[in-house]
Amino acid sequence: MIHSLLQLIAHFTCRQPWLVLIVSTIAAVASVVYTAFELKLNADLDALIARDQPFMAEYQRFLDEFGDLEYLFVVVAGTDASQREAVVDYLGEHLAPLDGVPSINYVIEPEEQLRIATRAMPEPDLRELSLAAGAFDALAHGPAVAADTAAQLLQQLMESDDEQEQEQLAAAAFFLAEALTQEQFIPLPQREYLVSPTGKLHFLQIEPVRDFGTLAVIEEPLRQIRGVLDQARQAFPDVEIGLTGKPVLQADEMATSDRDMTRAAIAAIILVSILFMIVIGGIWHPALAVVSLLYGIAWTFGVTTLFIGQLTLLSIVFTLVLVGVGIDFGVHFVSRYKEQRRNEADTIAGIEAAVTTATLTAGRGNITGAITSSMAFFMAIFTQFQGLRELGLIAGFGLLLCLLAMLLVLPSLIIVFDRARLRKGARKPVLPDRSKLQRGAWNALMARPGLYLGIMVAMTLLLSPLLLRLEFGKNLLDLQAQDLESVQWEHRILEDSGESFFGAVIVETKTEILEIQHRAADHEPIARTGSVFDIIQVPSEERDALRHRLHRTSKVDLDTMPEQLDAATVRTLHHRMSTIVTGARMQGLEEADHLAALRDRVETLEIQLGDEAIAETARTNAERRVAETAWAVRTMLEGDTMPLRDALPQAVRDMFVSERGNLLVALYPVENVWEFEPMERFVQAMREVDPDATGVPITQYESLIEMLRAFITAASLAFVAVFILLWLDLRRVGDAMLAMVPLIVGMFWLLQLMALFDVSFNHANFFAVPILIGIGVDSGIHLMRRYRERHPEDIASGSHDADDRTTFGSTRRAVFMTSMTSMIGFGCLATASHRGLQSLGIVMALGATALMVASLFVLPLLLSLLEKRRG
């Protein structure tokens, strides 16, 4: 059936090459246009994780409730705290107007502190303030009303026999007297800057505008912010200023990766093109293979847009897969075509005959190789990792579309191109002939297969103990380029306070906060908790009653009050204060000395008001003092009536109270949770505190586990699926097992080489595994299919081993070429500054080398050994 289909394809491409190219081009252009208008880029890392995962459901609830609390942090370091504060003020002033910065917090202003004061002050202070509530209305009407009201309250105090009433009258009267005579009687809070727990670092907390339709997500805000930071460094050269935070780390990672991949791609294209021309010969046919690959990639974009509609940060790398594996189909076809041209007449019929032979031989191997390679990616569907699922679907279908391009577009391009060359009288393109030395060396190798296989087995066994050194690196921060500013400042924050991520527990009541804090205190991996109780006192019935009493103010009768503060009014207050002080001393009260000092200040004010030279100044100062106290009281009372969320300072409001009124308890780790083992301990402790705990530590921990599990599951299923497909294609279990030899041996050698060169697997380079499976099985299937043929090249050249089935003709050259393209293409990433990409390049280079040796030597030697035993 496959043979008949290939014959039909060969016949159609030979007879209607222009029709094939026109239809393929229309489909490619339509795919590109459709993609440009409809395909969306989703750079949200959370999109890589399946939404139906329980831990993601909790995290999504957290995001819905509190929003994205992953901020950018501008970090200011220096020995002088006042200078750091000056830098923070400068930065805040210049960052706030930026379009990309809708929210910035770096200081808690005095007014914000006063709004929360009734909830934050100790209970004795709150009680004292509530007792003075009778003074608040008089205070609002200025110093004259305040002085007269204070005098009246003292008169009532002297006439009253009720102890509770006396306490309230005294507190209100003395409150008014203090406000009249004492500078900042209610001390205005100082500005509180956001600092690290050690106090050595100052922070500006920035909420940037996020655009998940771009790779960097915050590219434009980041550019604006860094421009302001450069200005600040020039203005304050003695202070260190840095920028970090998870969004910055991710943006810098994308920028570094993009730069490294661009450089590697340019280097790879140049090196692979040179290698292609040397090994296969010529320029144009390799170029036609690349053009055909572009058709396949364009179709893949169209299909992806139609059925999936988006690319994530993981699935976007499918083009690397298509370039790394898809081009192999073209290499095998071009190699077989040029080999066949050697035996065909230099006519149009000879061109068509060579295309037909290449389609029937290399095409059959390409079909099996494409199906098995795509199956390796399709196995990701059975994992729970959404990002890998989408990548598996896109890469799998992409490889099949690249196969279609190599079966239809490439033969048609070759026919059109070579017909034109034939008309111009150009020489027919053939493969460079193998030298006698090459043939002799190969024959000598195949003559003693047992010896060389024994040597390889011995070396493999000798290196096997190295496998014990192989590790899996799980620190994502270590994958970043370590010279990045954001990475360096992240390390500095960790060294300063050890805090980077926090876990989150959502509760509905303040009582639940106390329960969470109590349970968290029993877990060693949890350093501390953060909640609204960092700012306010624990509520109680007593506090609620005192806060309610604050609003029981007594209204004053303004008709009987003096319009201006004068000496007579203050004199009355002074006389009654003196009476109170005398009584206090007679009773031996502790407050007597304090009251005497207050009486003396009132007397001083009386004297000043009686002196015409300084009366106006004294009156003005009294008005200012009373106004400041009135503003402070008014602000406290307004804040007391606000809902808790509205009363909280802006810098911490979103962190602790949601718009719906739910509360957050933040759990901070003792250890550096970028490291996997500390992260695991911290996550376990969080879940023991509350099973529904969530936050970045849990999503990162679970996604790391899920990603590793998904890769292992997909790789394991891929091995099984590949073997079944090979068995169905080759129809013999023995041949299917032989076709798997390069893959199995090459992957085992890869593990040994990684251990030898101290290269660990990580979440970046583990992506190499499905690609290497595709490369390994593709080489094995092509060699096994060629093994079951006779070899025109050897017959034509008159070689003495013309009937030996282990020479493999041009297939061996094509396998060498496909392995080298992968080795060079991905190996260029080994020079990347991003350590994740660097490790991917190293693993791909080592893996491609191991697979190439296993394909070109182990499998042929094994087949040669079997041939000799059968003989």
Side-chain angles (χ1 to χ4, degrees):
M1 178 179 176
I2 294 179
H3 185 77
S4 300
L5 177 63
L6 290 173
Q7 283 183 319
L8 181 63
I9 291 174
H11 178 78
F12 186 72
T13 53
C14 289
R15 294 292 177 268
Q16 300 291 338
W18 280 109
L19 178 60
V20 171
L21 293 178
I22 291 172
V23 173
S24 299
T25 302
I26 292 174
V29 172
S31 295
V32 171
V33 173
Y34 180 54
T35 297
F37 283 98
E38 298 296 331
L39 183 63
K40 296 179 176 58
L41 176 63
N42 187 352
D44 186 357
L45 289 177
D46 294 333
L48 301 179
I49 309 172
R51 297 291 182 180
D52 56 356
Q53 293 282 62
F55 72 91
M56 277 306 296
E58 284 299 325
Y59 186 64
Q60 189 58 51
R61 174 175 167 247
F62 164 69
L63 292 179
D64 293 342
E65 193 71 34
F66 289 92
D68 191 347
L69 299 181
E70 296 299 328
Y71 299 110
L72 279 71
F73 289 98
V74 177
V75 191
V76 180
T79 56
D80 187 343
S82 61
Q83 190 176 31
R84 293 201 302 268
E85 292 174 358
V87 175
V88 168
D89 289 336
Y90 175 92
L91 288 170
E93 179 183 347
H94 288 78
L95 288 171
L98 298 180
D99 296 334
V101 181
S103 172
I104 178 171
N105 296 302
Y106 58 93
V107 67
I108 299 177
E109 298 290 354
E111 183 177 356
E112 294 181 294
Q113 298 176 54
L114 288 172
R115 277 205 309 263
I116 203 70
T118 59
R119 293 177 170 98
M121 66 176 57
E123 189 170 313
D125 294 345
L126 179 61
R127 182 178 182 278
E128 185 177 340
L129 183 65
S130 68
L131 288 172
F136 295 165
D137 187 59
L139 198 66
H141 295 289
V145 174
D148 191 77
T149 301
Q152 293 181 28
L153 291 171
L154 289 178
Q155 183 62 39
Q156 296 174 25
L157 171 63
M158 290 184 286
E159 296 172 354
S160 174
D161 295 327
D162 187 306
E163 288 187 7
Q164 183 176 359
E165 184 183 28
Q166 287 177 348
E167 187 178 27
Q168 293 175 354
L169 292 170
F174 298 151
F175 188 92
L176 291 171
E178 295 275 14
L180 277 166
T181 62
Q182 184 175 336
E183 294 291 341
Q184 291 195 359
F185 161 52
I186 297 181
L188 293 181
Q190 299 297 311
R191 304 178 82 204
E192 293 288 341
Y193 290 86
L194 301 185
V195 298
S196 65
T198 64
K200 297 178 180 178
L201 301 176
H202 277 61
F203 297 103
L204 290 92
Q205 177 182 288
I206 300 174
E207 171 66 25
V209 173
R210 288 175 168 87
D211 181 4
F212 289 110
T214 63
L215 278 177
V217 180
I218 57 169
E219 181 177 3
E220 181 57 25
L222 204 55
R223 184 190 63 79
Q224 297 175 4
I225 293 169
R226 282 180 165 150
V228 173
L229 263 57
D230 288 339
Q231 297 174 15
R233 291 187 183 103
Q234 295 178 1
F236 301 91
D238 297 331
V239 177
E240 294 181 89
I241 305 172
L243 183 65
T244 189
K246 189 178 177 182
V248 185
L249 290 168
Q250 292 173 353
D252 286 350
E253 182 176 28
M254 291 306 304
T256 305
S257 302
D258 184 57
R259 183 181 66 248
D260 289 340
M261 290 180 68
T262 300
R263 292 174 179 173
I266 294 173
I269 290 172
I270 295 173
L271 294 175
V272 169
S273 299
I274 294 173
L275 181 67
F276 213 151
M277 289 184 286
I278 294 174
V279 176
I280 303 300
I283 298 176
W284 296 109
H285 288 92
L288 296 179
V290 173
V291 171
S292 302
L293 176 66
L294 295 178
Y295 274 82
I297 293 175
W299 296 342
T300 305
F301 270 106
V303 170
T304 300
T305 306
L306 180 63
F307 291 104
I308 297 180
Q310 69 171 16
L311 288 176
T312 65
L313 292 178
L314 185 57
S315 61
I316 198 172
V317 301
F318 81 89
T319 52
L320 286 178
V321 178
L322 302 190
V323 172
V325 181
I327 192 63
D328 295 352
F329 308 144
V331 172
H332 283 288
F333 189 93
V334 170
S335 180
R336 199 60 185 268
Y337 167 75
K338 297 186 76 171
E339 175 190 345
Q340 191 62 29
R341 282 298 305 273
R342 186 194 302 274
N343 306 308
E344 301 292 345
D346 197 12
T347 61
I348 292 178
I351 295 172
E352 294 176 354
V355 166
T356 300
T357 301
T359 301
L360 295 175
T361 54
R364 180 62 183 268
N366 280 342
I367 289 176
T368 305
I371 293 175
T372 53
S373 297
S374 61
M375 191 60 62
F377 286 95
F378 284 146
M379 290 301 101
I381 298 172
F382 299 102
T383 70
Q384 298 297 314
F385 195 71
Q386 182 65 24
L388 193 59
R389 288 178 188 171
E390 292 186 9
L391 173 61
L393 282 172
I394 296 171
F397 281 114
L399 288 174
L400 296 178
L401 291 172
C402 287
L403 167 69
L404 187 63
M406 297 305 175
L407 289 175
L408 293 174
V409 178
L410 181 56
S412 300
L413 286 173
I414 288 176
I415 288 174
V416 170
F417 182 78
D418 280 3
R419 280 178 179 175
R421 284 170 55 88
L422 185 63
R423 295 189 187 99
K424 294 179 181 179
R427 295 175 56 188
K428 65 179 180 179
V430 296
L431 280 176
D433 195 11
R434 293 182 298 166
S435 67
K436 292 182 179 180
L437 179 61
Q438 289 176 315
R439 289 196 298 269
W442 183 258
N443 292 334
L445 186 67
M446 293 298 107
R448 307 182 69 179
L451 172 63
Y452 295 112
L453 284 173
I455 293 174
M456 291 181 181
V457 170
M459 293 181 63
T460 301
L461 293 175
L462 186 64
L463 294 175
S464 293
L466 291 175
L467 294 176
L468 298 175
R469 296 170 46 187
L470 195 61
E471 297 179 348
F472 195 100
K474 298 175 182 176
N475 188 324
L476 297 183
L477 189 60
D478 286 346
L479 299 183
Q480 294 264 35
Q482 295 302 298
D483 59 346
L484 287 175
E485 175 198 43
S486 55
V487 174
Q488 293 174 349
W489 278 100
E490 182 72 14
H491 282 297
R492 288 192 63 171
I493 293 174
L494 290 171
E495 292 169 1
D496 178 77
S497 61
E499 295 179 356
S500 180
F501 302 145
F502 66 89
V505 178
I506 302 174
V507 298
E508 295 180 355
T509 66
K510 299 181 180 70
T511 303
E512 291 177 276
I513 294 179
L514 297 176
E515 294 173 356
I516 294 297
Q517 290 178 329
H518 179 72
R519 293 201 295 268
D522 295 332
H523 290 79
E524 190 175 324
I526 299 176
R528 65 180 182 91
T529 61
S531 72
V532 71
F533 290 154
D534 293 347
I535 303 164
I536 68 172
Q537 299 288 329
V538 177
S540 64
E541 292 183 2
E542 293 78 6
R543 290 190 66 89
D544 291 343
L546 292 174
R547 288 176 54 204
H548 181 69
R549 194 182 300 166
L550 288 172
H551 302 278
R552 295 179 180 176
T553 58
S554 301
K555 298 295 183 181
V556 297
D557 185 3
L558 297 178
D559 294 337
T560 62
M561 295 294 174
E563 296 182 359
Q564 187 179 42
L565 183 65
D566 54 24
T569 304
V570 177
R571 185 179 303 113
T572 302
L573 176 60
H574 172 221
H575 289 162
R576 291 175 182 173
M577 282 284 301
S578 297
T579 303
I580 296 296
V581 170
T582 301
R585 290 193 187 282
M586 291 176 61
Q587 297 178 36
L589 299 179
E590 294 180 1
E591 295 86 354
D593 291 340
H594 175 74
L595 293 176
L598 176 58
R599 178 204 57 195
D600 294 342
R601 290 199 301 273
V602 171
E603 183 181 12
T604 300
L605 178 61
E606 175 194 349
I607 294 171
Q608 291 174 342
L609 291 172
D611 187 342
E612 294 183 0
I614 59 173
E616 190 59 35
T617 300
R619 191 175 293 110
T620 301
N621 289 336
E623 289 176 353
R624 175 180 50 78
R625 287 191 291 264
V626 169
E628 288 177 352
T629 305
W631 173 79
V633 169
R634 183 173 62 253
T635 304
M636 286 191 289
L637 294 181
E638 289 174 353
D640 189 71
T641 60
M642 289 180 177
L644 176 59
R645 173 181 166 82
D646 295 339
L648 285 172
Q650 178 65 41
V652 296
R653 181 180 302 160
D654 294 333
M655 178 72 180
F656 293 131
V657 184
S658 72
E659 291 183 355
R660 300 171 187 169
N662 286 326
L663 306 168
L664 177 72
V665 183
L667 307 177
Y668 293 92
V670 169
E671 302 173 279
N672 175 13
V673 292
W674 280 105
E675 297 289 345
F676 185 78
E677 288 75 17
M679 182 194 302
E680 188 173 36
R681 289 190 290 270
F682 180 56
V683 167
Q684 182 179 354
M686 287 173 57
R687 285 174 167 165
E688 289 175 359
V689 169
D690 189 289
D692 296 328
T694 186
V696 172
I698 288 183
T699 59
Q700 185 158 306
Y701 170 77
E702 291 290 351
S703 61
L704 289 175
I705 294 294
E706 189 56 49
M707 188 184 298
L708 177 59
R709 185 186 298 123
F711 273 123
I712 293 175
T713 300
S716 302
L717 292 175
F719 269 95
V720 175
V722 163
F723 176 78
I724 294 174
L725 289 172
L726 290 175
W727 176 37
L728 294 174
D729 181 65
L730 298 174
R731 300 179 184 277
R732 297 176 187 170
V733 174
D735 284 1
M737 294 176 66
L738 287 169
M740 291 282 288
V741 165
L743 175 59
I744 296 172
V745 174
M747 295 302 287
F748 188 76
W749 283 353
L750 168 62
L751 298 179
Q752 291 183 319
L753 289 172
M754 290 177 64
L756 179 63
F757 293 106
D758 197 26
V759 178
S760 299
F761 271 122
N762 56 54
H763 290 84
N765 62 30
F766 207 79
F767 174 67
V769 172
I771 301 177
L772 291 173
I773 290 176
I775 295 171
V777 74
D778 184 69
S779 300
I781 190 62
H782 277 285
L783 289 169
M784 283 304 300
R785 285 227 155 262
R786 189 61 187 260
Y787 171 69
R788 304 207 298 195
E789 300 175 15
R790 288 177 61 83
H791 307 292
E793 178 187 8
D794 293 321
I795 296 173
S797 63
S799 170
H800 71 280
D801 60 345
D803 293 323
D804 188 351
R805 300 185 348 165
T806 58
T807 54
F808 300 101
S810 64
T811 303
R812 198 168 78 243
R813 193 192 309 255
V815 168
F816 171 78
M817 180 64 201
T818 56
S819 299
M820 289 298 295
T821 55
S822 300
M823 186 191 310
I824 294 173
F826 287 95
C828 289
L829 290 173
T831 62
S833 58
H834 186 279
R835 296 169 73 175
L837 286 180
Q838 183 186 82
S839 66
L840 174 62
I842 293 172
V843 171
M844 280 299 301
L846 294 175
T849 302
L851 290 171
M852 180 177 67
V853 174
S855 300
L856 295 181
F857 295 99
V858 176
L859 181 57
L861 286 169
L862 192 56
L863 292 172
S864 180
L865 182 63
L866 292 175
E867 284 289 310
K868 289 183 180 297
R869 291 188 175 182
R870 288 171 183 166

